[in-house]
PDB file of all heavy atoms in Angstrom:
ATOM      1  N   VAL A   1       0.837  -1.210   0.000  1.00 96.00           N
ATOM      2  CA  VAL A   1       0.000   0.000   0.000  1.00 96.00           C
ATOM      3  C   VAL A   1       0.869   1.256   0.000  1.00 96.00           C
ATOM      4  O   VAL A   1       0.623   2.204  -0.757  1.00 96.00           O
ATOM      5  CB  VAL A   1      -0.934  -0.009   1.233  1.00 96.00           C
ATOM      6  CG1 VAL A   1      -1.622   1.338   1.408  1.00 96.00           C
ATOM      7  CG2 VAL A   1      -1.954  -1.127   1.106  1.00 96.00           C
ATOM      8  N   ILE A   2       1.911   1.286   0.850  1.00 97.00           N
ATOM      9  CA  ILE A   2       2.811   2.443   0.948  1.00 97.00           C
ATOM     10  C   ILE A   2       3.537   2.653  -0.373  1.00 97.00           C
ATOM     11  O   ILE A   2       3.635   3.788  -0.878  1.00 97.00           O
ATOM     12  CB  ILE A   2       3.810   2.256   2.111  1.00 97.00           C
ATOM     13  CG1 ILE A   2       3.067   2.358   3.455  1.00 97.00           C
ATOM     14  CG2 ILE A   2       4.937   3.282   2.045  1.00 97.00           C
ATOM     15  CD1 ILE A   2       3.852   1.843   4.646  1.00 97.00           C
ATOM     16  N   ARG A   3       4.031   1.573  -0.944  1.00 97.00           N
ATOM     17  CA  ARG A   3       4.716   1.673  -2.236  1.00 97.00           C
ATOM     18  C   ARG A   3       3.783   2.267  -3.295  1.00 97.00           C
ATOM     19  O   ARG A   3       4.142   3.208  -4.016  1.00 97.00           O
ATOM     20  CB  ARG A   3       5.179   0.282  -2.676  1.00 97.00           C
ATOM     21  CG  ARG A   3       5.884   0.232  -4.031  1.00 97.00           C
ATOM     22  CD  ARG A   3       5.895  -1.181  -4.584  1.00 97.00           C
ATOM     23  NE  ARG A   3       4.531  -1.644  -4.835  1.00 97.00           N
ATOM     24  CZ  ARG A   3       4.150  -2.913  -4.800  1.00 97.00           C
ATOM     25  NH1 ARG A   3       5.021  -3.873  -4.506  1.00 97.00           N
ATOM     26  NH2 ARG A   3       2.888  -3.238  -5.053  1.00 97.00           N
ATOM     27  N   ASP A   4       2.559   1.733  -3.377  1.00 96.00           N
ATOM     28  CA  ASP A   4       1.623   2.191  -4.409  1.00 96.00           C
ATOM     29  C   ASP A   4       1.212   3.649  -4.208  1.00 96.00           C
ATOM     30  O   ASP A   4       1.054   4.400  -5.174  1.00 96.00           O
ATOM     31  CB  ASP A   4       0.367   1.301  -4.410  1.00 96.00           C
ATOM     32  CG  ASP A   4       0.674  -0.122  -4.875  1.00 96.00           C
ATOM     33  OD1 ASP A   4       1.774  -0.337  -5.440  1.00 96.00           O
ATOM     34  OD2 ASP A   4      -0.168  -1.013  -4.663  1.00 96.00           O
ATOM     35  N   ARG A   5       1.041   4.060  -2.913  1.00 97.00           N
ATOM     36  CA  ARG A   5       0.630   5.466  -2.670  1.00 97.00           C
ATOM     37  C   ARG A   5       1.763   6.425  -3.004  1.00 97.00           C
ATOM     38  O   ARG A   5       1.529   7.529  -3.519  1.00 97.00           O
ATOM     39  CB  ARG A   5       0.187   5.649  -1.214  1.00 97.00           C
ATOM     40  CG  ARG A   5      -0.294   7.088  -0.910  1.00 97.00           C
ATOM     41  CD  ARG A   5      -1.480   7.456  -1.766  1.00 97.00           C
ATOM     42  NE  ARG A   5      -1.867   8.854  -1.681  1.00 97.00           N
ATOM     43  CZ  ARG A   5      -1.398   9.840  -2.432  1.00 97.00           C
ATOM     44  NH1 ARG A   5      -0.467   9.582  -3.355  1.00 97.00           N
ATOM     45  NH2 ARG A   5      -1.840  11.073  -2.305  1.00 97.00           N
ATOM     46  N   ILE A   6       3.011   6.026  -2.735  1.00 98.00           N
ATOM     47  CA  ILE A   6       4.146   6.883  -3.115  1.00 98.00           C
ATOM     48  C   ILE A   6       4.196   7.028  -4.635  1.00 98.00           C
ATOM     49  O   ILE A   6       4.412   8.126  -5.170  1.00 98.00           O
ATOM     50  CB  ILE A   6       5.467   6.313  -2.567  1.00 98.00           C
ATOM     51  CG1 ILE A   6       5.515   6.477  -1.034  1.00 98.00           C
ATOM     52  CG2 ILE A   6       6.670   7.016  -3.196  1.00 98.00           C
ATOM     53  CD1 ILE A   6       6.685   5.788  -0.363  1.00 98.00           C
ATOM     54  N   LEU A   7       3.964   5.948  -5.355  1.00 98.00           N
ATOM     55  CA  LEU A   7       3.970   6.009  -6.829  1.00 98.00           C
ATOM     56  C   LEU A   7       2.839   6.897  -7.354  1.00 98.00           C
ATOM     57  O   LEU A   7       2.998   7.566  -8.384  1.00 98.00           O
ATOM     58  CB  LEU A   7       3.848   4.599  -7.411  1.00 98.00           C
ATOM     59  CG  LEU A   7       5.044   3.657  -7.165  1.00 98.00           C
ATOM     60  CD1 LEU A   7       4.770   2.274  -7.729  1.00 98.00           C
ATOM     61  CD2 LEU A   7       6.326   4.228  -7.769  1.00 98.00           C
ATOM     62  N   LEU A   8       1.719   6.921  -6.638  1.00 97.00           N
ATOM     63  CA  LEU A   8       0.611   7.787  -7.069  1.00 97.00           C
ATOM     64  C   LEU A   8       0.956   9.273  -6.967  1.00 97.00           C
ATOM     65  O   LEU A   8       0.312  10.108  -7.602  1.00 97.00           O
ATOM     66  CB  LEU A   8      -0.638   7.506  -6.213  1.00 97.00           C
ATOM     67  CG  LEU A   8      -1.424   6.231  -6.543  1.00 97.00           C
ATOM     68  CD1 LEU A   8      -2.524   6.013  -5.503  1.00 97.00           C
ATOM     69  CD2 LEU A   8      -2.020   6.303  -7.939  1.00 97.00           C
ATOM     70  N   ALA A   9       1.991   9.606  -6.177  1.00 97.00           N
ATOM     71  CA  ALA A   9       2.409  11.011  -6.048  1.00 97.00           C
ATOM     72  C   ALA A   9       2.858  11.570  -7.399  1.00 97.00           C
ATOM     73  O   ALA A   9       2.803  12.783  -7.625  1.00 97.00           O
ATOM     74  CB  ALA A   9       3.530  11.135  -5.024  1.00 97.00           C
ATOM     75  N   PHE A  10       3.288  10.695  -8.307  1.00 97.00           N
ATOM     76  CA  PHE A  10       3.722  11.152  -9.633  1.00 97.00           C
ATOM     77  C   PHE A  10       2.536  11.547 -10.513  1.00 97.00           C
ATOM     78  O   PHE A  10       2.716  12.197 -11.537  1.00 97.00           O
ATOM     79  CB  PHE A  10       4.551  10.060 -10.327  1.00 97.00           C
ATOM     80  CG  PHE A  10       5.896   9.859  -9.694  1.00 97.00           C
ATOM     81  CD1 PHE A  10       6.065   8.946  -8.666  1.00 97.00           C
ATOM     82  CD2 PHE A  10       6.995  10.599 -10.103  1.00 97.00           C
ATOM     83  CE1 PHE A  10       7.306   8.762  -8.059  1.00 97.00           C
ATOM     84  CE2 PHE A  10       8.237  10.427  -9.506  1.00 97.00           C
ATOM     85  CZ  PHE A  10       8.392   9.506  -8.477  1.00 97.00           C
ATOM     86  N   GLU A  11       1.332  11.165 -10.092  1.00 95.00           N
ATOM     87  CA  GLU A  11       0.125  11.580 -10.821  1.00 95.00           C
ATOM     88  C   GLU A  11      -0.445  12.877 -10.252  1.00 95.00           C
ATOM     89  O   GLU A  11      -1.343  13.473 -10.849  1.00 95.00           O
ATOM     90  CB  GLU A  11      -0.941  10.476 -10.742  1.00 95.00           C
ATOM     91  CG  GLU A  11      -0.514   9.182 -11.426  1.00 95.00           C
ATOM     92  CD  GLU A  11      -1.534   8.066 -11.238  1.00 95.00           C
ATOM     93  OE1 GLU A  11      -2.703   8.372 -10.870  1.00 95.00           O
ATOM     94  OE2 GLU A  11      -1.162   6.903 -11.445  1.00 95.00           O
ATOM     95  N   GLY A  12       0.038  13.289  -9.094  1.00 97.00           N
ATOM     96  CA  GLY A  12      -0.472  14.502  -8.450  1.00 97.00           C
ATOM     97  C   GLY A  12      -1.612  14.172  -7.511  1.00 97.00           C
ATOM     98  O   GLY A  12      -1.400  13.895  -6.333  1.00 97.00           O
ATOM     99  N   VAL A  13      -2.829  14.195  -8.033  1.00 97.00           N
ATOM    100  CA  VAL A  13      -4.026  13.982  -7.203  1.00 97.00           C
ATOM    101  C   VAL A  13      -4.685  12.667  -7.609  1.00 97.00           C
ATOM    102  O   VAL A  13      -5.283  12.579  -8.686  1.00 97.00           O
ATOM    103  CB  VAL A  13      -5.036  15.138  -7.366  1.00 97.00           C
ATOM    104  CG1 VAL A  13      -6.222  14.956  -6.422  1.00 97.00           C
ATOM    105  CG2 VAL A  13      -4.364  16.489  -7.120  1.00 97.00           C
ATOM    106  N   PRO A  14      -4.581  11.623  -6.786  1.00 96.00           N
ATOM    107  CA  PRO A  14      -5.221  10.343  -7.132  1.00 96.00           C
ATOM    108  C   PRO A  14      -6.748  10.467  -7.109  1.00 96.00           C
ATOM    109  O   PRO A  14      -7.309  11.246  -6.340  1.00 96.00           O
ATOM    110  CB  PRO A  14      -4.755   9.388  -6.039  1.00 96.00           C
ATOM    111  CG  PRO A  14      -3.677  10.094  -5.297  1.00 96.00           C
ATOM    112  CD  PRO A  14      -3.881  11.548  -5.503  1.00 96.00           C
ATOM    113  N   LYS A  15      -7.405   9.686  -7.947  1.00 94.00           N
ATOM    114  CA  LYS A  15      -8.874   9.681  -8.012  1.00 94.00           C
ATOM    115  C   LYS A  15      -9.408   8.903  -6.824  1.00 94.00           C
ATOM    116  O   LYS A  15      -9.247   7.683  -6.755  1.00 94.00           O
ATOM    117  CB  LYS A  15      -9.313   9.035  -9.326  1.00 94.00           C
ATOM    118  CG  LYS A  15     -10.662   9.485  -9.803  1.00 94.00           C
ATOM    119  CD  LYS A  15     -10.931   8.997 -11.211  1.00 94.00           C
ATOM    120  CE  LYS A  15     -12.287   9.506 -11.677  1.00 94.00           C
ATOM    121  NZ  LYS A  15     -12.605   9.041 -13.022  1.00 94.00           N
ATOM    122  N   GLU A  16     -10.037   9.605  -5.874  1.00 95.00           N
ATOM    123  CA  GLU A  16     -10.451   8.980  -4.620  1.00 95.00           C
ATOM    124  C   GLU A  16     -11.867   9.396  -4.227  1.00 95.00           C
ATOM    125  O   GLU A  16     -12.358  10.455  -4.625  1.00 95.00           O
ATOM    126  CB  GLU A  16      -9.536   9.423  -3.464  1.00 95.00           C
ATOM    127  CG  GLU A  16      -8.081   9.095  -3.604  1.00 95.00           C
ATOM    128  CD  GLU A  16      -7.232   9.811  -2.566  1.00 95.00           C
ATOM    129  OE1 GLU A  16      -7.675  10.833  -1.998  1.00 95.00           O
ATOM    130  OE2 GLU A  16      -6.118   9.337  -2.325  1.00 95.00           O
ATOM    131  N   THR A  17     -12.475   8.569  -3.402  1.00 94.00           N
ATOM    132  CA  THR A  17     -13.649   8.968  -2.620  1.00 94.00           C
ATOM    133  C   THR A  17     -13.153   9.186  -1.199  1.00 94.00           C
ATOM    134  O   THR A  17     -12.491   8.329  -0.629  1.00 94.00           O
ATOM    135  CB  THR A  17     -14.729   7.880  -2.645  1.00 94.00           C
ATOM    136  OG1 THR A  17     -15.172   7.697  -3.991  1.00 94.00           O
ATOM    137  CG2 THR A  17     -15.917   8.269  -1.774  1.00 94.00           C
ATOM    138  N   ARG A  18     -13.482  10.367  -0.643  1.00 97.00           N
ATOM    139  CA  ARG A  18     -12.984  10.729   0.678  1.00 97.00           C
ATOM    140  C   ARG A  18     -14.154  11.016   1.613  1.00 97.00           C
ATOM    141  O   ARG A  18     -15.255  11.363   1.169  1.00 97.00           O
ATOM    142  CB  ARG A  18     -12.055  11.960   0.591  1.00 97.00           C
ATOM    143  CG  ARG A  18     -10.846  11.709  -0.299  1.00 97.00           C
ATOM    144  CD  ARG A  18      -9.940  12.935  -0.418  1.00 97.00           C
ATOM    145  NE  ARG A  18      -9.268  13.252   0.821  1.00 97.00           N
ATOM    146  CZ  ARG A  18      -8.136  12.686   1.236  1.00 97.00           C
ATOM    147  NH1 ARG A  18      -7.552  11.754   0.497  1.00 97.00           N
ATOM    148  NH2 ARG A  18      -7.580  13.040   2.374  1.00 97.00           N
ATOM    149  N   GLY A  19     -13.907  10.867   2.912  1.00 95.00           N
ATOM    150  CA  GLY A  19     -14.939  11.114   3.910  1.00 95.00           C
ATOM    151  C   GLY A  19     -14.693  12.422   4.641  1.00 95.00           C
ATOM    152  O   GLY A  19     -13.552  12.759   4.956  1.00 95.00           O
ATOM    153  N   ALA A  20     -15.761  13.172   4.892  1.00 96.00           N
ATOM    154  CA  ALA A  20     -15.650  14.453   5.592  1.00 96.00           C
ATOM    155  C   ALA A  20     -15.408  14.223   7.083  1.00 96.00           C
ATOM    156  O   ALA A  20     -16.008  13.345   7.695  1.00 96.00           O
ATOM    157  CB  ALA A  20     -16.923  15.261   5.396  1.00 96.00           C
ATOM    158  N   LEU A  21     -14.512  15.028   7.664  1.00 95.00           N
ATOM    159  CA  LEU A  21     -14.224  14.984   9.099  1.00 95.00           C
ATOM    160  C   LEU A  21     -14.749  16.258   9.761  1.00 95.00           C
ATOM    161  O   LEU A  21     -15.009  17.262   9.095  1.00 95.00           O
ATOM    162  CB  LEU A  21     -12.711  14.838   9.334  1.00 95.00           C
ATOM    163  CG  LEU A  21     -12.070  13.580   8.719  1.00 95.00           C
ATOM    164  CD1 LEU A  21     -10.558  13.616   8.911  1.00 95.00           C
ATOM    165  CD2 LEU A  21     -12.649  12.313   9.328  1.00 95.00           C
ATOM    166  N   ASP A  22     -14.865  16.221  11.087  1.00 93.00           N
ATOM    167  CA  ASP A  22     -15.499  17.327  11.815  1.00 93.00           C
ATOM    168  C   ASP A  22     -14.728  18.641  11.753  1.00 93.00           C
ATOM    169  O   ASP A  22     -15.301  19.700  12.014  1.00 93.00           O
ATOM    170  CB  ASP A  22     -15.710  16.939  13.284  1.00 93.00           C
ATOM    171  CG  ASP A  22     -16.800  15.894  13.456  1.00 93.00           C
ATOM    172  OD1 ASP A  22     -17.626  15.767  12.526  1.00 93.00           O
ATOM    173  OD2 ASP A  22     -16.826  15.213  14.491  1.00 93.00           O
ATOM    174  N   ASP A  23     -13.419  18.589  11.437  1.00 94.00           N
ATOM    175  CA  ASP A  23     -12.641  19.835  11.382  1.00 94.00           C
ATOM    176  C   ASP A  23     -12.579  20.413   9.967  1.00 94.00           C
ATOM    177  O   ASP A  23     -11.850  21.369   9.712  1.00 94.00           O
ATOM    178  CB  ASP A  23     -11.214  19.613  11.916  1.00 94.00           C
ATOM    179  CG  ASP A  23     -10.413  18.636  11.069  1.00 94.00           C
ATOM    180  OD1 ASP A  23     -11.005  18.011  10.153  1.00 94.00           O
ATOM    181  OD2 ASP A  23      -9.206  18.478  11.324  1.00 94.00           O
ATOM    182  N   GLY A  24     -13.354  19.843   9.037  1.00 96.00           N
ATOM    183  CA  GLY A  24     -13.375  20.359   7.668  1.00 96.00           C
ATOM    184  C   GLY A  24     -12.374  19.672   6.745  1.00 96.00           C
ATOM    185  O   GLY A  24     -12.386  19.914   5.539  1.00 96.00           O
ATOM    186  N   THR A  25     -11.493  18.843   7.295  1.00 97.00           N
ATOM    187  CA  THR A  25     -10.576  18.076   6.452  1.00 97.00           C
ATOM    188  C   THR A  25     -11.280  16.791   6.021  1.00 97.00           C
ATOM    189  O   THR A  25     -12.420  16.531   6.386  1.00 97.00           O
ATOM    190  CB  THR A  25      -9.265  17.755   7.189  1.00 97.00           C
ATOM    191  OG1 THR A  25      -9.571  16.950   8.342  1.00 97.00           O
ATOM    192  CG2 THR A  25      -8.565  19.037   7.634  1.00 97.00           C
ATOM    193  N   THR A  26     -10.571  15.982   5.223  1.00 97.00           N
ATOM    194  CA  THR A  26     -11.160  14.738   4.737  1.00 97.00           C
ATOM    195  C   THR A  26     -10.146  13.611   4.846  1.00 97.00           C
ATOM    196  O   THR A  26      -8.946  13.862   5.007  1.00 97.00           O
ATOM    197  CB  THR A  26     -11.581  14.873   3.262  1.00 97.00           C
ATOM    198  OG1 THR A  26     -10.426  15.192   2.464  1.00 97.00           O
ATOM    199  CG2 THR A  26     -12.627  15.948   3.072  1.00 97.00           C
ATOM    200  N   LYS A  27     -10.638  12.369   4.758  1.00 96.00           N
ATOM    201  CA  LYS A  27      -9.730  11.217   4.767  1.00 96.00           C
ATOM    202  C   LYS A  27     -10.096  10.264   3.632  1.00 96.00           C
ATOM    203  O   LYS A  27     -11.252  10.227   3.177  1.00 96.00           O
ATOM    204  CB  LYS A  27      -9.785  10.485   6.109  1.00 96.00           C
ATOM    205  CG  LYS A  27     -11.110   9.793   6.375  1.00 96.00           C
ATOM    206  CD  LYS A  27     -11.043   8.972   7.652  1.00 96.00           C
ATOM    207  CE  LYS A  27     -12.371   8.215   7.876  1.00 96.00           C
ATOM    208  NZ  LYS A  27     -12.337   7.367   9.065  1.00 96.00           N
ATOM    209  N   PHE A  28      -9.112   9.490   3.190  1.00 96.00           N
ATOM    210  CA  PHE A  28      -9.327   8.507   2.130  1.00 96.00           C
ATOM    211  C   PHE A  28     -10.303   7.429   2.597  1.00 96.00           C
ATOM    212  O   PHE A  28     -10.172   6.891   3.686  1.00 96.00           O
ATOM    213  CB  PHE A  28      -7.989   7.861   1.750  1.00 96.00           C
ATOM    214  CG  PHE A  28      -8.122   6.669   0.842  1.00 96.00           C
ATOM    215  CD1 PHE A  28      -8.334   6.835  -0.514  1.00 96.00           C
ATOM    216  CD2 PHE A  28      -8.032   5.381   1.352  1.00 96.00           C
ATOM    217  CE1 PHE A  28      -8.458   5.739  -1.356  1.00 96.00           C
ATOM    218  CE2 PHE A  28      -8.153   4.270   0.530  1.00 96.00           C
ATOM    219  CZ  PHE A  28      -8.363   4.455  -0.831  1.00 96.00           C
ATOM    220  N   LEU A  29     -11.304   7.123   1.751  1.00 92.00           N
ATOM    221  CA  LEU A  29     -12.228   6.040   2.034  1.00 92.00           C
ATOM    222  C   LEU A  29     -12.007   4.851   1.100  1.00 92.00           C
ATOM    223  O   LEU A  29     -11.854   3.726   1.522  1.00 92.00           O
ATOM    224  CB  LEU A  29     -13.686   6.515   1.890  1.00 92.00           C
ATOM    225  CG  LEU A  29     -14.213   7.528   2.905  1.00 92.00           C
ATOM    226  CD1 LEU A  29     -15.657   7.888   2.580  1.00 92.00           C
ATOM    227  CD2 LEU A  29     -14.123   6.977   4.327  1.00 92.00           C
ATOM    228  N   ARG A  30     -11.975   5.157  -0.211  1.00 88.00           N
ATOM    229  CA  ARG A  30     -11.867   4.088  -1.209  1.00 88.00           C
ATOM    230  C   ARG A  30     -11.603   4.717  -2.575  1.00 88.00           C
ATOM    231  O   ARG A  30     -11.766   5.925  -2.748  1.00 88.00           O
ATOM    232  CB  ARG A  30     -13.160   3.273  -1.264  1.00 88.00           C
ATOM    233  CG  ARG A  30     -14.393   4.102  -1.565  1.00 88.00           C
ATOM    234  CD  ARG A  30     -15.674   3.263  -1.546  1.00 88.00           C
ATOM    235  NE  ARG A  30     -16.861   4.111  -1.715  1.00 88.00           N
ATOM    236  CZ  ARG A  30     -17.544   4.641  -0.721  1.00 88.00           C
ATOM    237  NH1 ARG A  30     -17.170   4.427   0.529  1.00 88.00           N
ATOM    238  NH2 ARG A  30     -18.599   5.392  -0.958  1.00 88.00           N
TER     239      ARG A  30
END
């Protein structure tokens, strides 16, 4: 997972669905 996420950095912004958090930030869901 770590290897694949580092490689995704070369694409800039990976295509993700993210979940909203109470402080206005978000986290990766799927």
Side-chain angles (χ1 to χ4, degrees):
V1 169
I2 290 165
R3 179 199 63 208
D4 292 346
R5 182 61 189 89
I6 289 172
L7 293 177
L8 283 173
F10 290 90
E11 296 175 17
V13 184
K15 206 170 182 181
E16 300 168 339
T17 297
R18 300 179 68 84
L21 301 175
D22 289 340
D23 64 352
T25 62
T26 60
K27 68 174 183 178
F28 170 79
L29 292 179
R30 57 183 175 268

